């Protein structure tokens, strides 16, 4: 038996939408999976941050992905399941652009269907992590990977044994990046010493574009801005402003604060991250980022009232700078050691790409099912 869950045959590292799409597809097909996630909750960059004000009022912010597409048929089928389960819904925002010197331009209505998680973006990952056959080990960082006697041995912080598995799925490029060492007291990135040099080299080559999110709450709705989502162009700090409270399933009681999420542009984030701390950012430093971004928003909405709440979040590995999958490939796969590397760095920085990459990894593992069955006999 493995430590990840009873008889889990596959270990997935990362409970973002990629890892959980992979895990739930495997579990649905009868392959039990243990999913390890270093954070307290599932979601990764598709998370929702909760905040309670001193008044007891609850705020909720989708501080990563804002909405997602479902163009691919396999993704459409999954999204329909999530809609039926009440954890996703289509969103029809009033969209516009703002550009220095040009001001606001409303976007023409289009036929694109945009989806969001309900009541927050993380609801989808929470739903997937509670599927039968998926054992989610939250708050458990994987710090070591070893291939021994035909199985993967996983270790956690302080050398804790996390079980052995017939196959492995790695969903975060940080497992091959110096950023892992910066965040884990100098430990080498786990994929580096896992005996899969080609796969390691391809994932290690992915650099990231950082991003900041500013979560804002206002006592009154920002009626001065007749948009729910604004693409901001040629601005010194911002690239996006979204009215979270306009999404379906959000708190809409009279008098409830209105929640907004702003995203910084890549140039601003890169500069600030380069001059900032490599490890956990201090509240003071994040406060400076919040001030910059708020000042930027005030340029766009000069009559904006003071927010009730403002807090910045750093997405150090915000977006992969490249997509590394070869044509016809949606994940990386080493057949000899039954290890897949998947995530949005394979096909592009979008939720839909991450789902497709996770499903591709699950398919690679289905193809080795016979080996998994044999392996199970030796558990
Ligand atoms: C600011 C921002 C805005 C975005 N907006 C949109 C949008 O509007 N629409 C859209 O489609 N996409 C958007 N994206 C992109 C989208 O969020 C990602 O493409 C998608 O969520 C990636 O999912 P993933 O599972 O591949 O990676 P992640 O969500 O990053 O999941 C990887 C997980 O692995 C975990 N992990 C890492 N190392 C370890 C370890 N050692 N042990 C255990 N766990 C570990 C991490 O904590 C994380 O939870 C946005 C991204 C950002 C940052």
């Amino acid at each position: 038996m493995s430590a990840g869950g009873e008889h889990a045959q596959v270990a997935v590292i990362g409970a973002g939408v990629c890892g959980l799409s992979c895990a739930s597809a495997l579990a649905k097909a009868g392959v039990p999976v243990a999913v390890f996630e270093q954070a307290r909750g599932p979601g990764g960059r598709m998370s929702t941050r909760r905040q309670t004000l001193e008044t007891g009022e609850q705020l909720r912010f989708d501080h990563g992905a804002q909405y997602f597409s479902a163009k691919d048929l396999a993704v459409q089928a999954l999204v329909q399941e999530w809609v039926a389960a009440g954890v996703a819904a289509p969103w029809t925002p009033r969209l516009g652009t703002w550009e220095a010197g040009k001001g606001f331009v409303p976007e023409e209505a289009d036929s694109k269907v945009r989806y969001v998680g309900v009541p927050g973006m993380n609801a989808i990952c929470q739903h997937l992590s509670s599927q039968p056959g998926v054992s989610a080990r939250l708050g458990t960082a994987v710090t070591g990977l070893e291939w021994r006697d035909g199985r993967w041995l996983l270790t956690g912080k302080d050398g804790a044994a996390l079980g052995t598995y017939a196959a492995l799925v790695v969903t975060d490029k940080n497992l091959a990046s110096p950023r892992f060492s910066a965040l884990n007291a100098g430990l080498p990135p786990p994929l580096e010493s896992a005996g899969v040099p080609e796969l390691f080299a391809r994932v290690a080559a992915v650099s990231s574009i950082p991003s900041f999110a500013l979560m804002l709450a206002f006592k009154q709705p920002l009626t001065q801005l007749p948009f729910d989502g604004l693409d901001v162009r040629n601005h010194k700090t911002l690239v996006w402003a979204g009215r979270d409270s306009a999404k379906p399933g959000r708190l809409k009681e009279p008098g409830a604060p209105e929640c907004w999420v702003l995203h910084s542009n890549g140039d601003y984030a890169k500069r600030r991250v380069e001059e900032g701390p490599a490890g956990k950012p201090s509240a003071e430093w994040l406060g400076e980022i919040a001030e910059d971004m708020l000042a930027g928003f005030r340029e766009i909405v000069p009559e904006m009232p003071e927010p009730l709440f403002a807090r910045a979040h750093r997405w150090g590995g915000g977006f992969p700078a490249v997509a590394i999958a070869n044509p016809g490939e949606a994940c990386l796969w080493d057949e000899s050691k039954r290890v897949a590397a998947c995530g949005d760095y394979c096909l592009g920085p979008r939720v839909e790409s991450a789902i497709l990459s996770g499903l591709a990894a699950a398919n690679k593992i289905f193809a080795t099912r016979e080996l998994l069955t044999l392996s199970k006999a030796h558990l």
Side-chain angles (χ1 to χ4, degrees):
M1 192 198 296
S2 73
E6 213 173 315
H7 301 307
Q9 296 172 54
V10 179
V12 172
I13 305 177
V17 72
C18 172
L20 286 167
S21 300
C22 174
S24 64
L26 286 167
K28 214 188 264 180
V31 180
V33 184
V35 181
F36 294 93
E37 170 55 53
Q38 63 189 4
R40 280 174 302 169
R45 281 170 285 152
M46 196 180 173
S47 290
T48 302
R49 176 78 74 88
R50 277 165 173 247
Q51 185 71 38
T52 307
L53 294 180
E54 279 173 7
T55 54
E57 282 168 305
Q58 292 279 335
L59 307 176
R60 229 181 248 169
F61 302 95
D62 295 334
H63 58 324
Q66 298 295 291
Y67 58 81
F68 61 96
S69 58
K71 295 178 192 149
D72 183 275
L73 287 179
V75 178
Q76 280 175 18
L78 277 179
V79 173
Q80 287 321 315
E81 284 179 28
W82 302 341
V83 170
V87 294
W91 182 38
T92 317
R94 296 169 298 165
L95 292 174
T97 55
W98 181 93
E99 190 166 354
K102 291 192 182 159
F104 296 106
V105 180
E107 221 165 78
E108 283 187 21
D110 58 31
S111 57
K112 285 184 204 156
V113 186
R114 297 170 178 85
Y115 290 95
V116 294
V118 173
M121 283 301 264
N122 66 343
I124 293 166
C125 288
Q126 273 172 349
H127 170 73
L128 292 174
S129 67
S130 61
Q131 295 306 296
V134 176
S135 164
R137 299 276 308 269
L138 303 174
T140 309
V142 175
T143 58
L145 297 172
E146 191 188 341
W147 174 254
R148 197 193 292 168
D149 301 330
R151 290 183 68 82
W152 282 103
L153 264 73
L154 271 59
T155 42
K157 290 220 160 120
D158 304 323
L162 298 177
T164 76
Y165 304 88
L168 173 67
V169 178
V170 175
T171 71
D172 197 307
K173 61 190 180 322
N174 264 357
L175 275 95
S177 150
R179 244 174 73 77
F180 177 90
S181 310
L183 295 168
N184 289 280
L187 278 178
L191 263 184
E192 190 176 19
S193 49
V196 282
E198 255 179 61
L199 191 137
F200 165 71
R202 286 182 72 187
V203 180
V206 181
S207 57
S208 298
I209 300 166
S211 174
F212 291 102
L214 179 63
M215 298 166 271
L216 292 176
F218 297 96
K219 200 167 168 39
Q220 305 289 341
L222 271 194
T223 45
Q224 301 87 339
L225 196 54
F227 300 100
D228 303 321
L230 198 62
D231 276 319
V232 180
R233 298 188 183 154
N234 296 326
H235 189 269
K236 61 178 189 255
T237 46
L238 301 179
V239 72
W240 164 262
R243 193 189 310 260
D244 251 15
S245 299
K247 293 177 180 172
R250 271 56 179 178
L251 277 178
K252 294 219 171 68
E253 286 145 27
E258 185 171 82
C259 295
W260 282 75
V261 171
L262 314 185
H263 284 152
S264 70
N265 67 44
D267 288 344
Y268 170 79
K270 195 162 175 290
R271 181 170 57 77
R272 293 307 308 250
V273 164
E274 275 168 7
E275 62 196 26
K280 197 169 183 255
S282 67
E284 193 187 14
W285 185 73
L286 286 174
E288 286 172 22
I289 305 289
E291 275 175 31
D292 277 358
M293 291 177 70
L294 195 57
F297 198 36
R298 211 177 279 287
E299 282 169 21
I300 297 172
V301 196
E303 60 281 26
M304 177 184 83
E306 274 306 307
L308 285 173
F309 174 84
R311 184 162 300 165
H313 174 86
R314 179 186 70 178
W315 291 107
F319 301 94
V322 288
I324 57 169
N326 292 323
E329 207 184 36
C331 69
L332 314 189
W333 173 243
D334 183 322
E335 177 87 36
S336 66
K337 295 205 168 99
R338 298 191 293 279
V339 52
C342 52
D344 66 344
Y345 57 87
C346 287
L347 294 172
R350 286 171 299 281
V351 167
E352 182 166 14
S353 309
I355 297 171
L356 285 170
S357 187
L359 294 179
N363 278 331
K364 293 290 184 191
I365 291 172
F366 289 145
T368 64
R369 233 184 138 167
E370 207 176 308
L371 282 171
L372 293 177
T373 314
L374 282 176
S375 195
K376 190 179 175 187
H378 292 100
L379 284 172

